[in-house]
């Protein structure tokens, strides 16, 4: 080898060598060259290469060799690099060991070393340890720099103390540290994390006013924080501000926005954003298309997802497994397994190799279709093709079998797991327990939980919640409460879902005092109630005729920081109505929209329409009905039924008859009871032709007994069907005998057949 070979040449080769171990071979081989000695640069490059690729054992050997050949006072940068590489691979203790050994090897850590180890500790949540390192640094008289402040501010933000972070930011100039955009954006992100949007936006604005503008990397991190919280509009708002400052977005900026829009279900906007990438002089990459394809597939817009797959290929990009799996999974969840297979076959032709996610999607889709045989075939096919089934594939199959009620088959598959992928975990047991509970086999579910415990798998919150909820649904409250009390023995803390199941069960079966007692115990144990909890309490108190106490829960909810919703008001309004206080119910109905600015749902409108209809205050019922339509809330089958019943009770046949025709015109199918009420009223008023026409309408709409469908000759069916319908209405007590006689004569009168209802009702 030429004597001109220098360490800088070796360092350059190491830097561009992709295989760390081959680089190490070359590094060691040049030591044999006469007159060649590695220097700090070549050692540093080699250690960095090994650490970056996770070859830590070899890295430590080179580090030890370097200590004997290089002055240790010069090695701080190498130690910092080693710490960061350990941190990148989540080896926090090893990073700490490197830091602690620096003193021992006569390399005094400076503020840069302290910053490096504090940052690693904070990234992985060791906040107390990071604070101790900071205090040690101060005790040694080392002055913190701007990066130290940023790291400490990040710690405050990660521990939900953004205002402490803000105070620290404001104190930086007094400690001789210049304010910078990275530190500002860290605090802004912390404020957004705690939903302090106004404070965050004002601080971001302040940063720009004093002339600090983040670089695109720093800004993208802030965008990522906002999009994780689903605040896409705020992201766009900040982006518009920095664009005016001349900061050009990069592709990563657009990818973050597209991901945020997809998470919010704003897929049309996400599609437009993909199109706008090119207008900014950028080209969408695989991540851009994958994000949109995944978002479209999750919302079952598979045709659009396929079109973007084609566009991706046309742009010269190669779809990866994530692309194909997103579309295959979307088809399977839609129940379109054949389409999924078509996409899979096309992908395989282009070189795609199905992986565990592909097989999971297919198995899940086939199980949802009830095609268990094919699901098992796909499972076996995966094994034949050399894909060793893991717990994900096994759990998918077990979940599908359990949902179909095939518990024995699910248990058989579960028993195979130890041979192929290790012991089934508690999640696997939960799937079968859930299946048993849905079938009502609670004793077997309890036995299976005991079996899991015996095998060393401790039940989790999902196990207990599934069992407790199922026992509550069967009104076996003693067993449910016994299981609730046993949770503490397994170190599982009941959550709000646990207590809500128990409270709901007690509400259906016992006195309100028991419900309130359980609620108080829940609060005492530190479990915070949610709006579902309060809804159960309201229902229980209303049943006990304790309306004032039920109403007071609205204020209590607000004091707890909860906003009552339409369901809470629906429960209270219904409670007042069922206790005979229609005026009180109506006041609440109005209070809901005026004080709480909540839009009524069909359910709340229906409660009030029914309340006034029962009191025969049909003017109010009609007023609310028209208000409902005017507010864009469509009436449902129940709304029309209640209105028709009210009109019939009030002997307002015309309105009842017209509402029935309108109901049918809107596509709703009235019950036999509703038809019977209107027909009775028409017969009572001797409006036989209209009553007979309704019978013929029932025949045309197929609202007939099964007997009619056994008559295959059209002529005979046309004659016999109306008679059978009338007899059926009498048999089921939907019409009186008097109405029956009138109708029976009427349907035989051919003159009446000429008087038809509007043609559009017969289409």
């Amino acid at each position: 080898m030429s004597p001109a070979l220098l360490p800088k040449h070796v360092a350059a080769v190491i830097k561009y060598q992709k295989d760390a171990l081959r680089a190490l071979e070359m590094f060691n081989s040049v030591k044999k060259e006469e007159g060649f000695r590695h220097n700090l640069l070549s050692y540093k490059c080699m250690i960095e290469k090994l650490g970056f690729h996770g070859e830590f054992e070899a890295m430590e050997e080179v580090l030890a060799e370097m200590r004997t050949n290089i002055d240790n006072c010069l090695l701080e940068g190498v130690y910092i690099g080693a710490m960061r590489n350990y941190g990148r691979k989540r080896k926090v203790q090893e990073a700490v060991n490197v830091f602690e050994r620096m003193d021992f090897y006569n390399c005094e850590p400076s503020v840069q070393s302290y910053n490096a180890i504090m940052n690693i500790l904070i990234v992985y949540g060791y906040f107390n340890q990071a604070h101790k390192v900071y205090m040690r640094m101060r005790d040694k008289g080392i002055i913190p720099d701007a990066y130290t402040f940023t790291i400490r501010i990040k710690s405050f933000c990660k521990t939900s103390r953004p205002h402490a972070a803000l105070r620290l930011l404001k104190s930086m100039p007094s400690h001789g540290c210049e304010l910078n955009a990275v530190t500002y954006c860290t605090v802004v992100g912390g404020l957004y994390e705690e939903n302090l949007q106004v404070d965050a936006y004002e601080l971001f604005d302040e940063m720009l006013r004093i002339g600090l503008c983040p670089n695109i990397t720093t800004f993208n991190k802030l965008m990522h924080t906002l999009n994780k919280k689903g605040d896409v509009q705020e992201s766009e708002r900040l982006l518009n501000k920095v664009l005016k400052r001349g900061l050009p977005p990069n592709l990563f900026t657009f990818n973050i926005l597209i991901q945020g829009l997809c998470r919010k279900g704003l897929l049309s906007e996400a599609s437009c954003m993909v199109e706008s990438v090119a207008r900014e002089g950028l080209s969408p990459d695989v991540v851009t298309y994958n994000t949109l394809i995944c978002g479209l597939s999750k919302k079952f817009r598979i045709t659009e997802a396929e079109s973007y797959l084609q566009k991706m290929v046309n742009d010269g990009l190669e779809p990866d497994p994530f692309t194909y799996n997103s579309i295959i999974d979307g088809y399977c969840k839609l129940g379109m397994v054949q389409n999924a297979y078509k996409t899979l076959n096309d992908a395989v032709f282009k070189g795609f190799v199905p992986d565990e996610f592909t097989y999971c999607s297919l198995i899940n889709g086939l199980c949802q279709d009830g095609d268990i045989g094919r699901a098992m075939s796909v499972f076996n096919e995966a094994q034949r093709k050399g894909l060793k089934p893991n717990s994900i594939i096994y759990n998918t199959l077990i979940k599908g079998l359990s949902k179909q009620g095939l518990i024995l088959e699910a248990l058989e598959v579960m028993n195979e797991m130890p041979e192929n992928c290790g012991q089934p975990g508690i999640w696997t047991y939960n799937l079968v327990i859930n299946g048993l509970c849905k079938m009502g086999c609670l004793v077997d579910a309890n036995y299976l939980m005991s079996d899991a415990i015996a095998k060393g798998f401790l039940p989790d919150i999902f196990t207990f919640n599934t069992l407790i909820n199922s026992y509550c649904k069967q009104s076996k409250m003693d067993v449910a409460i016994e299981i609730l009390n046993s949770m503490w023995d397994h170190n599982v803390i009941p959550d709000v879902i646990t207590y809500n199941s128990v409270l709901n069960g007690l509400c259906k079966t016992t006195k309100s005092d028991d419900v309130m007692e359980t609620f108080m115990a829940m609060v005492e144990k530190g479990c915070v109630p949610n709006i579902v909890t309060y809804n159960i309490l309201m229902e229980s108190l209303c049943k006990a005729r304790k309306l004032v106490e039920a109403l007071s829960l609205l204020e209590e909810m607000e004091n707890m920081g909860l906003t009552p919703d339409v369901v809470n008001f629906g429960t209270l309004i219904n409670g007042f109505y069922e206790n005979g206080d229609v005026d009180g119910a109506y006041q609440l109905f109005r209070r809901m929209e005026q004080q709480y600015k909540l839009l009524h749902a069909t359910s709340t409108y229906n409660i009030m329409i029914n309340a006034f209809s029962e009191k025969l205050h049909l003017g109010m019922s009609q007023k609310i009905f028209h208000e409902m339509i005017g507010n864009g809330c469509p009436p449902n089958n129940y709304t029309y039924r209640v209105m028709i019943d009210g009109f019939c009770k009030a002997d307002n046949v015309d309105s009842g008859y017209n509402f029935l025709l309108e109901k049918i015109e809107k596509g709703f199918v009235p019950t036999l009871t509703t038809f019977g009420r209107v027909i009775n009223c028409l017969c009572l008023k001797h409006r036989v032709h209209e009553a007979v026409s309704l019978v013929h309408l029932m025949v045309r709409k197929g609202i007939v007994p099964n007997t009619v469908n056994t008559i295959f000759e059209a002529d005979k069916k046309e004659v016999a069907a109306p008679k059978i319908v009338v007899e059926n209405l009498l048999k089921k007590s939907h019409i009186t005998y008097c109405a029956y006689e009138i109708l029976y004569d009427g349907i035989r009168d051919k003159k009446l057949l000429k008087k038809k209802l509007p043609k559009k009702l017969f289409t």
Side-chain angles (χ1 to χ4, degrees):
M1 190 173 283
S2 168
L5 180 68
L6 298 173
K8 67 178 181 180
H9 300 141
V10 175
V13 173
I14 291 167
K15 186 177 178 182
Y16 290 102
Q17 172 60 256
K18 291 182 180 179
D19 188 325
L21 295 179
R22 286 191 67 185
L24 181 61
E25 284 178 22
M26 186 276 295
F27 177 85
N28 288 328
S29 68
V30 297
K31 289 189 290 187
K32 298 172 185 175
E33 294 297 316
E34 186 178 347
F36 181 87
R37 285 175 62 86
H38 285 295
N39 66 4
L40 179 60
L41 176 63
S42 56
Y43 272 118
K44 186 176 181 180
C45 280
M46 190 67 253
I47 289 166
E48 180 65 29
K49 175 68 70 175
L50 291 166
F52 184 81
H53 288 277
E55 301 290 348
F56 293 114
E57 192 174 332
M59 184 191 81
E60 288 288 352
E61 289 175 6
V62 177
L63 200 55
E65 179 189 315
M66 182 186 66
R67 288 193 198 101
T68 62
N69 296 322
I70 306 291
D71 184 356
N72 278 266
C73 296
L74 306 173
L75 302 186
E76 184 179 23
V78 181
Y79 286 124
I80 290 171
M83 281 189 270
R84 285 176 178 158
N85 280 319
Y86 273 128
R88 203 175 287 120
K89 299 291 184 181
R90 309 182 71 87
K91 293 180 176 289
V92 181
Q93 186 56 57
E94 287 82 349
V96 171
N97 292 343
V98 171
F99 175 75
E100 295 294 355
R101 286 201 302 263
M102 287 176 70
D103 273 336
F104 180 77
Y105 289 115
N106 299 318
C107 181
E108 186 70 29
S110 71
V111 67
Q112 283 81 19
S113 298
Y114 280 100
N115 286 346
I117 194 62
M118 280 193 291
N119 192 52
I120 291 166
L121 289 167
I122 285 164
V123 165
Y124 292 107
Y126 296 98
F127 304 110
N128 291 335
Q129 291 86 336
H131 182 68
K132 288 175 184 176
V133 171
Y134 173 76
M135 295 308 295
R136 191 207 300 186
M137 181 183 91
R138 297 306 304 266
D139 289 344
K140 285 182 176 283
I142 297 170
I143 298 170
D145 62 10
Y147 187 42
T148 317
F149 277 91
T150 304
I151 292 165
R152 294 198 68 221
I153 282 168
K154 182 160 68 172
S155 176
F156 284 132
C157 290
K158 279 180 171 282
T159 50
S160 302
R161 293 181 288 169
H163 286 113
L166 182 58
R167 287 195 297 273
L168 196 57
L169 171 72
K170 299 293 185 184
S171 72
M172 284 177 67
S174 64
H175 288 86
C177 294
E178 279 189 29
L179 295 169
N180 60 79
V182 174
T183 314
Y184 259 102
C185 284
T186 304
V187 182
V188 171
L191 290 165
Y192 275 124
E193 285 281 8
E194 296 304 310
N195 299 314
L196 300 165
Q197 278 88 350
V198 175
D199 293 348
Y201 185 77
E202 286 176 357
L203 188 64
F204 188 81
D205 204 39
E206 176 191 303
M207 175 186 75
L208 296 179
R209 277 201 315 274
I210 63 173
L212 293 174
C213 187
N215 63 25
I216 195 61
T217 305
T218 304
F219 182 72
N220 284 344
K221 286 180 181 176
L222 182 56
M223 294 266 287
H224 187 62
T225 299
L226 282 166
N227 281 299
K228 273 197 304 181
K229 291 185 68 62
D231 206 342
V232 187
Q233 285 182 322
E234 192 72 3
S235 293
E236 291 179 325
R237 190 179 173 201
L238 297 188
L239 178 60
N240 289 331
K241 288 190 78 72
V242 296
L243 287 175
K244 290 175 184 175
R245 300 279 172 151
L247 181 71
N250 60 14
L251 186 57
F252 189 51
T253 318
F254 282 103
N255 286 348
I256 292 169
L257 273 173
I258 291 163
Q259 185 184 53
L261 290 166
C262 288
R263 281 180 176 170
K264 291 285 284 184
L266 302 169
L267 298 173
S268 299
E269 290 85 343
S271 300
C272 291
M273 188 68 69
V274 170
E275 303 301 330
S276 69
V277 170
R279 291 197 294 272
E280 292 292 331
L282 301 167
S283 298
D285 62 2
V286 173
V287 175
T288 315
Y289 281 112
N290 277 356
T291 304
L292 183 57
I293 287 168
C294 180
L296 289 166
S297 299
K298 281 183 177 177
K299 293 294 180 181
F300 310 123
R301 290 164 64 169
I302 312 298
T303 307
E304 290 174 68
E306 291 250 44
S307 71
Y308 276 101
L309 169 62
Q310 191 57 50
K311 193 173 188 309
M312 179 181 181
V313 173
N314 293 343
D315 285 353
L317 296 169
E318 189 174 334
D320 61 13
F322 184 87
T323 323
Y324 290 120
N325 282 335
S326 296
I327 293 173
I328 290 166
D329 189 55
Y331 273 130
C332 288
K333 283 178 177 170
L334 266 177
M336 301 169 70
V337 182
Q338 289 306 113
N339 296 64
Y341 267 108
K342 183 180 179 300
T343 302
L344 175 60
N345 292 335
D346 290 344
V348 169
F349 181 75
K350 292 171 184 174
F352 169 62
V353 179
D355 57 19
E356 63 189 62
F357 299 106
T358 320
Y359 286 110
C360 280
S361 296
L362 292 171
I363 290 167
N364 192 44
L366 290 165
C367 286
Q368 281 182 349
D369 281 354
D371 197 343
I372 301 300
R374 280 184 72 194
M376 292 296 293
S377 297
V378 170
F379 178 75
N380 294 328
E381 180 193 324
Q383 291 176 294
R384 283 197 308 275
K385 289 189 174 178
L387 184 71
K388 190 175 181 182
N390 57 19
S391 59
I392 298 171
I393 295 179
Y394 268 106
N395 284 344
T396 303
L397 182 58
I398 289 166
K399 180 182 178 182
L401 292 167
S402 299
K403 276 190 171 181
Q404 294 293 324
L406 301 169
I407 302 299
L408 289 177
E409 289 84 346
L411 289 170
E412 282 179 19
V413 173
M414 192 166 86
N415 290 334
E416 290 177 16
M417 288 180 71
E419 297 175 18
N420 297 312
C421 68
Q423 289 289 338
I426 193 60
W427 177 244
T428 312
Y429 277 97
N430 284 346
L431 293 171
V432 185
I433 288 168
N434 190 44
L436 286 165
C437 286
K438 284 184 176 176
M439 292 171 64
C441 305
L442 303 189
V443 175
D444 293 326
N446 230 334
Y447 174 79
L448 193 59
M449 184 178 80
S450 301
D451 181 59
I453 295 167
K455 289 179 178 175
F457 302 109
L458 295 179
D460 59 14
I461 190 70
F462 182 83
T463 323
F464 284 110
N465 283 352
T466 303
L467 282 167
I468 288 169
N469 187 50
S470 299
Y471 275 111
C472 289
K473 282 181 177 177
Q474 291 194 7
S475 302
K476 296 179 178 178
M477 296 311 302
D478 291 342
V479 184
I481 291 168
E482 186 182 328
I483 294 172
L484 170 65
N485 294 331
S486 73
M487 290 175 72
W488 302 94
D489 299 334
H490 296 283
N491 295 318
V492 179
I493 299 170
D495 63 9
V496 68
I497 296 171
T498 322
Y499 281 109
N500 283 350
S501 295
V502 173
L503 288 168
N504 195 42
L506 290 170
C507 176
K508 301 286 189 288
T509 56
T510 60
K511 296 177 183 176
S512 64
D513 293 344
D514 295 331
V515 177
M516 295 307 295
E517 188 180 324
T518 305
F519 172 70
M520 295 306 296
M522 165 188 174
V523 174
E524 283 172 12
K525 291 184 183 293
C527 185
V528 180
N530 60 15
I531 57 172
V532 177
T533 318
Y534 280 103
N535 200 61
I536 295 164
L537 298 182
M538 288 170 180
E539 185 183 344
S540 176
L541 290 168
C542 286
K543 280 184 176 179
R545 306 180 70 83
K546 297 178 180 179
L547 300 180
V548 176
E549 290 179 48
L551 199 57
S552 70
L553 290 176
L554 286 176
E555 187 178 344
E556 186 177 322
M557 285 178 73
E558 291 183 271
N559 293 337
M560 291 284 293
L562 298 170
T563 304
D565 65 4
V566 68
V567 178
N568 299 132
F569 273 99
T571 302
L572 286 172
I573 291 166
N574 191 58
F576 273 78
Y577 151 64
E578 288 189 342
N579 280 285
D581 188 355
V582 176
D583 291 337
Y586 186 65
Q587 286 173 15
L588 262 177
F589 180 79
R590 291 303 175 204
R591 181 180 169 189
M592 173 181 164
E593 57 191 0
Q594 291 165 6
Q595 182 181 337
Y596 289 88
K597 310 300 180 191
L598 286 170
L599 295 174
H600 287 292
T602 303
S603 56
T604 47
Y605 279 116
N606 283 348
I607 294 166
M608 289 314 309
I609 289 169
N610 185 46
F612 284 118
S613 292
E614 283 205 350
K615 294 284 185 182
L616 300 183
H617 296 163
L618 294 172
M620 285 298 294
S621 292
Q622 282 183 285
K623 177 187 172 184
I624 294 170
F625 179 84
H626 292 302
E627 180 186 312
M628 177 184 190
I629 295 170
N631 289 333
C633 192
N636 60 13
N637 210 335
Y638 179 80
T639 321
Y640 280 105
R641 181 171 72 78
V642 167
M643 291 295 295
I644 293 164
D645 286 354
F647 286 126
C648 289
K649 286 177 186 175
D651 200 29
N652 187 344
V653 187
D654 286 334
S655 295
Y657 178 65
N658 290 330
F659 260 82
L660 178 62
L661 297 185
E662 182 183 327
K663 177 177 182 176
I664 296 166
E665 190 181 335
K666 296 281 186 184
F668 296 112
V669 179
T671 61
L672 293 179
T673 307
T674 305
F675 270 114
R677 281 189 191 278
V678 177
I679 289 169
N680 269 332
C681 290
L682 289 168
C683 289
L684 201 62
K685 298 288 185 182
H686 303 290
R687 293 164 63 172
V688 184
H689 67 281
E690 289 159 305
V692 170
S693 296
L694 282 181
V695 173
H696 284 286
L697 179 59
M698 291 175 72
V699 173
R700 300 239 184 190
K701 290 289 182 182
I703 309 167
V704 294
N706 289 332
T707 315
V708 174
N709 298 321
T710 62
I711 304 170
F712 297 106
E713 293 179 34
D715 292 342
K716 287 185 179 179
K717 191 171 187 176
E718 188 178 352
V719 174
K723 295 177 182 178
I724 295 170
V725 168
V726 171
E727 287 170 0
N728 187 55
L729 287 170
L730 177 67
K731 182 180 177 182
K732 294 190 173 178
S733 302
H734 295 310
I735 57 173
T736 62
Y737 190 78
C738 178
Y740 166 76
E741 288 185 321
I742 293 169
L743 283 170
Y744 205 81
D745 291 337
I747 60 175
R748 293 166 63 190
D749 188 344
K750 292 182 180 179
K751 291 178 184 178
L752 289 175
L753 295 177
K754 294 177 184 178
K755 297 179 179 180
K756 299 288 186 181
L757 289 171
K759 284 185 179 179
K760 58 186 174 182
L761 293 175
F762 294 99
T763 57

